[in-house]
C-alpha cells in the first residue's frame, strides 16, 4: 500500500467541503502572534466541540443554535475516518456521517467551523478513528514515518515510542498539510516541536501558561475539558461550572485568542463506536449541552455570561498589550489599555481556599477564592467566575407515546411481534477454524464482532478424587482483555473483566466437571478497541493462559491444547429494529 489511501480520503473530504464553501462567503484567514485575522479583522473566538456522528441529524440544528445562544462563535469537530470508509474505497457520507450537511448547518447559523481531519483522532472513539483494516495492510505502522499515514493530533507525548521516525513524521505531516493550500491555518495539538508552518496548540484543564511553538503564533486552546468521559464501573466525572469558567477567564487574561470546549455537547457513542476500552455508550462528558441536547444548567448559563463578558472586553484585548500587576500574594491583575480610553482588566485570586479584598485603581474589589473578575471598562465588574447567577435545572425523563413502525396506529402495540433468539453456547455448525494454542482476539475478528468463542474439551476419569469427595476443581484463566464468560458443559461458571485503566484480567472460579467428556467454552469479548497510546494498534485482546487446578495430576495446562474458534452467532443474523422514532429538532429542548 502507498500514500494514496489517506490522500484519496482527505481529497474526497476537501472536494465535498469545497463544493460547499465555493457557494458561500469565502473568508481570508491569516494570523499573527496575537490572534487569527479573518478578512482583515482580528477575532477572539470561542469554540464548541460537537461531533456530528455522536448525535442524530435531527438534533444538529438545535445543538448548533443552543451553542450560538450560549455565546459560541465556532463549532469544532473531528472527521472520523473509520466511520466514512468502512472498507477500502467504500465511502459513507450519509445519516450521522453526513459531514457536508453538518457543516452547512453551521454555516447557515452564521458561525465558523474548525475541522480536525486526523487521521488519528483519539476522542475515546473506537481505534482512535482509524479504520481497523488499515492495520492489516502489510508494512503499515500507525503514527510514524510510514507511507500510509498522515497529519497528526496529540502526538507530542507519544513521540518517544517511535524513535527517529517520529520527528521526520511530524515534519513531513506539517509540510504535506500546508502544501494543500486550503486557505486556512493548520494546527497540531500538544506538539511543542511542531514546524513553524503550523500552530502548536494546548489541550488540558488549564492552558493560561501555555506558549506555542513559535513566538509568531497565537495562543490557541483546542481542548478545555468541562467534564470527562466515563468508563464502565467508574464514578461519574464532575467539574464545577466555576472551575471551568475560571480556566477560560485565565486563558483570555493571559493573552489567549481561540478557545474550544471539548466537549460542548458530548452526545452518544452509537453502535460499536466506543473506544477505550470500556468507554460507556454515553459520551455526555458533563458538557454544557447534555447528551440529549438540553442546556446543562447552571454550567451552560454560567459560561454564557462569561462569554458575554469576554466579548465586551474583546476590543481592548486585541488592540493593546497587557500589563501585569501584583495585587498581593496569589493576587494579580492584567490590564489591557490602549491609551485612548479603551481599557479592560482581569483581577485574579489564585488562592483556592481564601477570599481576598484587593485595591485596583483606588477602588476596592472582593475576589472569592480561585476566581477571576472581568472588568470590560477597567472599573465595573460584570462577571466573576466563582459567582454563579444562572438557574440550576434537573432533567427528568417523561414517558412518550411512540407508535411502532410494524403495527398500525389504530391497534397500537398489540399487534407488535417479537422474535426471540436463543444462542448456542460454544461451537455450532461448522467451526471457523481449529488451532493448537491461542489466537489474538482482535487479529481474529478484525473488529467485525466483539465476540469470539474459544472451545476445547477434556476427559475426566472416574477415579478423580474430586468426584468422590464432591469437591470442585478450579478454573484459572488469564486474558489480555477485555471480558469473559466461562461455560462448562453448557452451564455458566462465572465471568470476569478488566476495567477502563487496566484491560488484562484473571479469572479464578470453582467449576463443575463430570466423569467423561467435558466441554469448556470461553466467550471472549472486546469492549471497544484501544483509541490512543504509543503503538496502540498493536495492543491485543483474548486468552493467554487456561489451567485447571485440583485434579489427580495436579494442574492441567490447556493453553496449548487444540482449541476450536467461532465468532458469535447473533452478529450474523439480519435483525430488524421493531420501532422507528422520528426526532424532531424542535423537540430538542423538551423535558
Amino acid at each position: 500500500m502507498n500514500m494514496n489511501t489517506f490522500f484519496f480520503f482527505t481529497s474526497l473530504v476537501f472536494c465535498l467541503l469545497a463544493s460547499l464553501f465555493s457557494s458561500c462567503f469565502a473568508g481570508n484567514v491569516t494570523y499573527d502572534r496575537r490572534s487569527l485575522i479573518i478578512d482583515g479583522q482580528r477575532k477572539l473566538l470561542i469554540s464548541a466541540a460537537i461531533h456530528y456522528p455522536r448525535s442524530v441529524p435531527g438534533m444538529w440544528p438545535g445543538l448548533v443554535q443552543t451553542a450560538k445562544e450560549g455565546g459560541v462563535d465556532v463549532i469544532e469537530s473531528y472527521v472520523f475516518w473509520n466511520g466514512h470508509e468502512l472498507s477500502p474505497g467504500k465511502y459513507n457520507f450519509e445519516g450521522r456521517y453526513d459531514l457536508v450537511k453538518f457543516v452547512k448547518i453551521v454555516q447557515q447559523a452564521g458561525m465558523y467551523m474548525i475541522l480536525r481531519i486526523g487521521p488519528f483522532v483519539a476522542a475515546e472513539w473506537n481505534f482512535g478513528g482509524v479504520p481497523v483494516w488499515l492495520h492489516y495492510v502489510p508494512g503499515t505502522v500507525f503514527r510514524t514515518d510510514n507511507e500510509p499515514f498522515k497529519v497528526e493530533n496529540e502526538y507530542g507525548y507519544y513521540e518517544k515510542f517511535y524513535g527517529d521516525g517520529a520527528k521526520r513524521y511530524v515534519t513531513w505531516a506539517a509540510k504535506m498539510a500546508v502544501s494543500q493550500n486550503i486557505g486556512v491555518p493548520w494546527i497540531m495539538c500538544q506538539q511543542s516541536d511542531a514546524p513553524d508552518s503550523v500552530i502548536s496548540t494546548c489541550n488540558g484543564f488549564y492552558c493560561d501558561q501555555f506558549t506555542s511553538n513559535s513566538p509568531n503564533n497565537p495562543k490557541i486552546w483546542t481542548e478545555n475539558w468541562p467534564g470527562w468521559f466515563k468508563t464502565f464501573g467508574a464514578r461519574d466525572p464532575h467539574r464545577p461550572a466555576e472551575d471551568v469558567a475560571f480556566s477560560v477567564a485565565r486563558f483570555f487574561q493571559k493573552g489567549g485568542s481561540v478557545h474550544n470546549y471539548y466537549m460542548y455537547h458530548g452526545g452518544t457513542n452509537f453502535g460499536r463506536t466506543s473506544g477505550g476500552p470500556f468507554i460507556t455508550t454515553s459520551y455526555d462528558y458533563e458538557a454544557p449541552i447534555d447528551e440529549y441536547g438540553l442546556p446543562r444548567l447552571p454550567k451552560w448559563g454560567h459560561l454564557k455570561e462569561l462569554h458575554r463578558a469576554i466579548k465586551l472586553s474583546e476590543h481592548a484585548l486585541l488592540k493593546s498589550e497587557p500589563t501585569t500587576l501584583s495585587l498581593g500574594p496569589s493576587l494579580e491583575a492584567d490590564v489591557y489599555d490602549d491609551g485612548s480610553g479603551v481599557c479592560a482588566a482581569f483581577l485574579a485570586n489564585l488562592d483556592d481556599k481564601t477570599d481576598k479584598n484587593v485595591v485596583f485603581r483606588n477602588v476596592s474589589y472582593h475576589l472569592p477564592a480561585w476566581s477571576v473578575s472581568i472588568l470590560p471598562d477597567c472599573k465595573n465588574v460584570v462577571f466573576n467566575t466563582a459567582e454563579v447567577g444562572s438557574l440550576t435545572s434537573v432533567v427528568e425523563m417523561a414517558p412518550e407515546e411512540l407508535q411502532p413502525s410494524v403495527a398500525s396506529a389504530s391497534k397500537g402495540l398489540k399487534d407488535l411481534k417479537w422474535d426471540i433468539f436463543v444462542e448456542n453456547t460454544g461451537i455450532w455448525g461448522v467451526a471457523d477454524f481449529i488451532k493448537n494454542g491461542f489466537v489474538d482476539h482482535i487479529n481474529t475478528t478484525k473488529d467485525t464482532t466483539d465476540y469470539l468463542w474459544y472451545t476445547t474439551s477434556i476427559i475426566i476419569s472416574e477415579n478423580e478424587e474430586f468426584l468422590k469427595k464432591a469437591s470442585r476443581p478450579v478454573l484459572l484463566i488469564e486474558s489480555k482483555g477485555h471480558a469473559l464468560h466461562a461455560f462448562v458443559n453448557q452451564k455458566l461458571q462465572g465471568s470476569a473483566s478488566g476495567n477502563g485503566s487496566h484491560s488484562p484480567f484473571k479469572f479464578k472460579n470453582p467449576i463443575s466437571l463430570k466423569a467423561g467428556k467435558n466441554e469448556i467454552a470461553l466467550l471472549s469479548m472486546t469492549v471497544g478497541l484501544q483509541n490512543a497510546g504509543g503503538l496502540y494498534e498493536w495492543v491485543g485482546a483474548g486468552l493467554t493462559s487456561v489451567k485447571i487446578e485440583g485434579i489427580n495430576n495436579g494442574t492441567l495446562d490447556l493453553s496449548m491444547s487444540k482449541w476450536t474458534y467461532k465468532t458469535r452467532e447473533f452478529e450474523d443474523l439480519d435483525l430488524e429494529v421493531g420501532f422507528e422514532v422520528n426526532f424532531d429538532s424542535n423537540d430538542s429542548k423538551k423535558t
Side-chain angles (χ1 to χ4, degrees):
M1 179 176 178
N2 58 33
M3 290 183 278
N4 290 336
T5 295
F6 188 68
F7 263 135
F8 187 77
F9 174 71
T10 51
S11 297
L12 179 61
V13 171
F14 287 143
C15 286
L16 288 169
L17 295 177
S19 66
L20 165 64
F21 293 139
S22 63
S23 61
C24 67
F25 182 75
N28 178 31
V29 184
T30 59
Y31 62 89
D32 60 17
R33 66 182 184 86
R34 184 60 190 97
S35 70
L36 295 183
I37 302 170
I38 303 176
D39 293 323
Q41 298 293 317
R42 294 190 180 278
K43 297 284 186 179
L44 286 186
L45 297 176
I46 297 170
S47 174
I50 300 175
H51 294 164
Y52 54 97
R54 282 178 158 143
S55 56
V56 296
M59 293 176 68
W60 292 347
L63 292 173
V64 171
Q65 186 60 37
T66 303
K68 185 174 183 178
E69 291 173 4
V72 168
D73 310 294
V74 184
I75 301 297
E76 177 268 321
S77 181
Y78 282 120
V79 175
F80 298 85
W81 185 6
N82 58 8
H84 290 293
E85 191 173 8
L86 303 179
S87 59
K90 295 182 179 178
Y91 297 99
N92 173 32
F93 286 87
E94 299 179 349
R96 290 184 296 105
Y97 292 96
D98 192 341
L99 173 59
V100 170
K101 179 177 181 179
F102 182 74
V103 174
K104 283 183 176 180
I105 290 171
V106 175
Q107 178 230 334
Q108 289 163 2
M111 302 172 76
Y112 299 110
M113 182 90 201
I114 295 176
L115 207 59
R116 299 165 73 182
I117 65 169
F120 170 77
V121 301
E124 292 73 54
W125 187 270
N126 197 50
F127 222 47
V130 180
V132 171
W133 53 259
L134 185 64
H135 178 54
Y136 299 98
V137 173
T140 302
V141 180
F142 293 4
R143 311 188 75 191
T144 188
D145 190 19
N146 181 258
E147 282 194 346
F149 233 77
K150 295 291 163 289
V151 189
E152 255 305 335
N153 171 55
E154 297 181 322
Y155 189 62
Y157 176 77
Y158 300 107
E159 280 191 39
K160 60 187 178 184
F161 294 100
Y162 299 95
D164 294 339
K167 184 61 178 177
R168 293 196 302 269
Y169 172 47
V170 169
T171 302
W172 175 86
K175 183 178 180 181
M176 184 280 296
V178 174
S179 71
Q180 303 302 307
N181 295 318
I182 63 172
V184 297
W186 287 86
I187 60 174
M188 280 189 174
C189 305
Q190 292 184 271
Q191 193 67 45
S192 60
D193 63 346
D196 288 348
S197 56
V198 299
I199 304 170
S200 172
T201 66
C202 185
N203 291 357
F205 288 108
Y206 308 97
C207 283
D208 49 288
Q209 299 302 314
F210 172 77
T211 57
S212 189
N213 55 311
S214 168
N216 299 318
N217 290 345
K219 189 171 181 174
I220 297 178
W221 191 353
T222 36
E223 293 190 13
N224 181 1
W225 307 314
W228 200 243
F229 59 86
K230 187 179 179 182
T231 58
F232 287 109
R235 296 173 57 188
D236 286 333
H238 175 63
R239 189 181 183 194
E242 297 92 326
D243 186 62
V244 180
F246 175 85
S247 69
V248 179
R250 284 287 290 171
F251 177 70
F252 285 103
Q253 176 180 353
K254 293 299 181 181
S257 62
V258 179
H259 168 276
N260 179 61
Y261 294 101
Y262 185 101
M263 302 292 295
Y264 197 79
H265 165 72
T268 304
N269 292 316
F270 294 100
R272 298 175 59 246
T273 59
S274 294
F278 296 100
I279 304 296
T280 60
T281 304
S282 172
Y283 199 65
D284 181 83
Y285 223 90
E286 208 194 29
I289 302 176
D290 72 14
E291 182 176 6
Y292 308 102
L294 303 172
R296 172 174 272 111
L297 299 175
K299 186 172 284 186
W300 180 86
H302 190 51
L303 296 177
K304 175 181 180 179
E305 293 304 310
L306 167 66
H307 302 157
R308 184 181 74 87
I310 291 171
K311 290 299 184 178
L312 288 173
S313 309
E314 181 175 18
H315 182 75
L317 294 175
L318 292 175
K319 296 295 184 180
S320 56
E321 296 294 328
T323 299
T324 301
L325 306 173
S326 174
L327 302 178
S330 300
L331 298 165
E332 66 178 22
D334 282 274
V335 184
Y336 293 80
D337 190 340
D338 70 354
S340 67
V342 176
C343 182
F346 293 74
L347 311 183
N349 179 4
L350 306 182
D351 188 321
D352 61 359
K353 296 181 176 61
T354 307
D355 292 6
K356 301 287 180 68
N357 292 312
V358 300
V359 175
F360 171 70
R361 293 195 171 187
N362 299 317
V363 178
S364 179
Y365 296 90
H366 178 74
L367 294 178
W370 199 248
S371 75
V372 177
S373 286
I374 301 177
L375 293 67
D377 59 359
C378 285
K379 297 177 182 178
N380 299 294
V381 176
V382 299
F383 183 85
N384 179 273
T385 60
E387 297 175 349
V388 179
S390 173
L391 297 176
T392 298
S393 66
V394 177
V395 176
E396 294 183 358
M397 296 300 169
E400 181 77 15
E401 291 295 328
L402 300 178
Q403 295 297 330
S405 59
V406 294
S408 66
S410 61
K411 295 183 179 180
L413 298 177
K414 292 183 179 180
D415 290 348
L416 183 65
K417 181 179 179 294
W418 290 92
D419 290 324
I420 299 175
F421 297 88
V422 179
E423 183 176 1
N424 297 318
T425 301
I427 304 302
W428 63 96
V430 179
D432 290 348
F433 61 94
I434 299 172
K435 184 181 184 298
N436 290 335
F438 298 128
V439 297
D440 180 81
H441 181 133
I442 298 171
N443 283 341
T444 303
T445 64
K446 295 181 172 59
D447 198 40
T448 57
T449 172
D450 289 320
Y451 305 95
L452 179 64
W453 284 103
Y454 294 67
T455 304
T456 192
S457 60
I458 59 173
I459 303 297
I460 295 296
S461 168
E462 295 180 350
N463 298 322
E464 285 289 344
E465 288 294 320
F466 74 83
L467 293 174
K468 301 175 184 178
K469 297 179 179 179
S471 60
R472 300 172 69 191
V474 175
L475 178 62
L476 303 172
I477 301 172
E478 295 183 9
S479 173
K480 293 180 287 186
H482 305 151
L484 173 128
H485 295 314
F487 297 83
V488 175
N489 299 323
Q490 308 291 308
K491 294 184 178 180
L492 180 65
Q493 305 295 304
S495 304
S497 70
N499 56 55
S501 58
H502 189 69
S503 296
F505 64 89
K506 294 181 180 180
F507 172 95
K508 182 178 182 180
N509 219 49
I511 58 174
S512 299
L513 295 175
K514 63 184 181 181
K517 184 177 181 180
N518 293 263
E519 181 186 74
I520 298 174
L522 307 176
L523 180 60
S524 176
M525 297 169 282
T526 52
V527 190
L529 299 192
Q530 197 82 16
N531 64 260
L535 303 169
Y536 77 94
E537 74 270 27
W538 299 98
V539 176
L543 308 185
T544 58
S545 175
V546 175
K547 298 177 181 179
I548 298 177
E549 288 183 344
I551 59 178
N552 289 352
N553 293 331
T555 298
L556 176 62
D557 190 343
L558 300 175
S559 302
M560 292 307 297
S561 295
K562 183 179 291 184
W563 289 87
T564 304
Y565 294 90
K566 192 170 183 66
T567 55
R568 188 177 180 228
E569 180 178 10
F570 277 171
E571 299 197 2
D572 293 331
L573 298 175
D574 183 17
L575 301 180
E576 294 185 358
V577 178
F579 291 91
E580 179 181 291
V581 179
N582 294 318
F583 190 98
D584 185 348
S585 62
N586 293 325
D587 294 335
S588 63
K589 296 183 180 179
K590 291 182 180 179
T591 58

